Amino acid sequence: MLRMSWIGIIVGIVYLMAIACDSGNYIPPPTKTPVPTATPASAEGSFATARVATGLTRPTLVTNAADNSNRLFVLEKPGQIRVIKSGLLLAQPLLDISALVGSTGNEQGLLGLAFHPDFEKNGRFFVAYTAKNADNTIAEYHVTDPSSDVADANSGKVLFGVPDQYPNHNGGMLAFGPDGYLYISMGDGGSSGDPNGNAQNLNSLLGKLLRIDVNGASPYAIPPSNPFVARADAKKEIWAYGLRNPWRFTFDRSTNDLWIGDVGQDKYEEVDFQLAGSSGGENYGWKTMEGTHCYQPQDGCSQSNLVLPIFDYDHDEGCSVTGGYVYRGKAVAPLVGRYLFTDYCSGKLWASTATGDGKFSTATIGKLPQGVTAFGEDESGELYFVVDSEGAVYKFAKK
């Protein structure tokens, strides 16, 4: 999520994230060349933004349930899931787990939400939050009637909690992939410079992207195709590693490619990419690398077997990346096929496009308010974002 950076408070409350890559001896399979997904024409100045809801308390995510209800669901850091229905923010939350959530740290709180692909039938959804004991916690809840705007607060079942020594770098994104498995981001455990070496340690869940099967054994099963299932020295939940704080990752609803916004240390922010069909096991480099630059050692680091980001930027342009989505809506045609992301401190908005030669073209296309903590899609693919200090939800619209 945000990155409680050691950069200082740049926008009032620095609500940021961080995580990184690793180096082990796993060599990911070669990936195919990405197919171009957008025309090269400039998208700068092609959009407007409209505020659709206010009155929220430090929102951390906006998403939909893909249940044909056209509702939006907004997470509040202290522990509530709010509902926007027919354009109105409902007074009663879908769920209030404030009594379970520890949110005193700037990067702690209720951080992630994913609805089961069959939510419309089974009413199941999953949350990521910082527990009162500081564990990075994944839990399942349900609604008795999926059309209801209120969930059963007593239905909670903790899938697992990962002990975390420091209050920052908690990751917290949840998303179901095109394969039906639940993907989970975990930060490197916090402090500065990954002092415990978690991101490169395959025997730790911290500094990783995880993949689990919530339709298997209780509380979950390990997908048999996970990359490290046969290794006794590795956690079987790991899908990819070497991340610092992958606050937000998303799947392109059209191509199934995976995009990861990984918050950096003190100098560089990065966007990572995984082509659809990957068999996992990618090492995105932290803390050998920060972005495309050596971190430890500072010079002459080995990039062997590392997957470098498709884009990075230094702290002259911001302080903490907020990963977004590939736009697949209809309201703003010039944005279609472009991955949009921003920076929490500067509000600068970038768009990345696959060029067809395994490379990407990234350009600044505008500016958003400072303090954007997350993007989100509605059921039709239109794009939204939430602003921390404003307590507001905005929507991208035609200019």
Side-chain angles (χ1 to χ4, degrees):
M1 103 184 216
L2 312 160
R3 150 178 138 187
M4 252 201 106
S5 188
W6 314 105
I7 247 185
I9 300 180
I10 301 181
V11 204
I13 329 171
V14 175
Y15 194 20
L16 309 157
M17 35 189 163
I19 185 171
C21 287
D22 125 315
S23 56
N25 49 22
Y26 178 86
I27 303 176
T31 55
K32 299 175 292 183
T33 300
V35 177
T37 55
T39 61
S42 173
E44 186 172 2
S46 63
F47 65 92
T49 61
R51 192 157 51 187
V52 298
T54 58
L56 294 148
T57 302
R58 301 199 69 181
T60 57
L61 186 74
V62 56
T63 190
N64 74 86
D67 62 350
N68 296 306
S69 71
N70 295 313
R71 293 174 294 179
L72 289 174
F73 300 86
V74 186
L75 295 189
E76 293 182 316
K77 184 177 181 287
Q80 292 191 338
I81 303 175
R82 304 294 300 277
V83 183
I84 299 175
K85 186 175 184 179
S86 301
L88 299 175
L89 179 65
L90 303 187
Q92 186 170 12
L94 175 75
L95 182 69
D96 185 350
I97 55 171
S98 304
L100 304 177
V101 174
S103 59
T104 55
N106 194 47
E107 295 182 45
Q108 296 178 328
L110 180 56
L111 309 178
L113 168 65
F115 290 89
H116 192 282
D118 291 325
F119 173 77
E120 192 173 3
K121 296 178 181 178
N122 61 30
R124 301 170 67 193
F125 63 95
F126 300 81
V127 294
Y129 63 90
T130 311
K132 292 289 188 182
N133 67 355
D135 284 1
N136 297 331
T137 303
I138 309 301
E140 175 180 347
Y141 286 83
H142 71 258
V143 292
T144 304
D145 176 1
S147 65
S148 173
D149 297 322
V150 181
D152 180 359
N154 296 316
S155 65
K157 177 179 69 175
V158 172
L159 275 61
F160 64 89
V162 180
D164 195 343
Q165 182 178 355
Y166 302 100
N168 57 335
H169 307 179
N170 299 310
M173 182 67 183
L174 301 178
F176 280 92
D179 50 17
Y181 294 129
L182 181 63
Y183 289 72
I184 303 161
S185 70
M186 286 279 169
D188 67 2
S191 188
S192 178
D194 192 9
N196 296 323
N198 291 318
Q200 291 296 322
N201 179 7
L202 291 177
N203 201 34
S204 169
L205 294 180
L206 297 171
K208 310 295 190 300
L209 189 63
L210 312 178
R211 185 175 78 151
I212 63 174
D213 180 2
V214 298
N215 297 315
S218 182
Y220 64 89
I222 302 296
S225 55
N226 273 11
F228 302 111
V229 290
R231 287 185 52 169
D233 62 340
K235 296 291 187 183
K236 294 174 174 49
E237 292 91 342
I238 296 173
W239 176 252
Y241 65 117
L243 294 160
R244 184 174 180 272
N245 190 25
W247 167 236
R248 293 294 172 235
F249 67 85
T250 56
F251 292 94
D252 181 342
R253 61 164 58 195
S254 177
T255 67
N256 295 332
D257 296 330
L258 173 64
W259 299 76
I260 306 169
D262 192 15
V263 181
Q265 185 66 36
D266 291 329
K267 293 183 179 180
Y268 302 101
E269 306 299 308
E270 69 182 70
V271 173
D272 298 306
F273 178 84
Q274 184 185 89
L275 195 64
S278 167
S279 55
E282 287 86 347
N283 176 3
Y284 290 105
W286 175 252
K287 63 180 178 177
T288 301
M289 310 287 293
E290 181 186 6
T292 57
H293 308 267
C294 291
Y295 180 80
Q296 193 176 85
Q298 293 183 353
D299 299 295
C301 61
S302 172
Q303 299 180 15
S304 176
N305 302 331
L306 303 184
V307 178
L308 298 185
I310 62 131
F311 180 73
D312 66 354
Y313 63 92
D314 65 31
H315 284 182
D316 288 338
E317 297 190 80
C319 73
S320 180
V321 64
T322 298
Y325 284 79
V326 176
Y327 179 72
R328 296 296 179 188
K330 296 180 178 179
V332 192
L335 297 182
V336 173
R338 302 176 189 268
Y339 175 73
L340 305 183
F341 62 100
T342 190
D343 184 87
Y344 180 83
C345 294
S346 70
K348 186 174 290 190
L349 179 68
W350 288 272
S352 287
T353 305
T355 61
D357 55 0
K359 298 181 181 180
F360 297 80
S361 173
T362 303
T364 304
I365 63 167
K367 193 168 184 177
L368 301 181
Q370 294 177 327
V372 172
T373 52
F375 293 82
E377 291 180 312
D378 65 17
E379 293 185 38
S380 62
E382 296 304 333
L383 194 61
Y384 298 74
F385 60 90
V386 293
V387 181
D388 177 19
S389 58
E390 285 187 36
V393 181
Y394 287 79
K395 181 179 182 179
F396 282 83
K398 184 178 180 180
K399 192 166 185 178

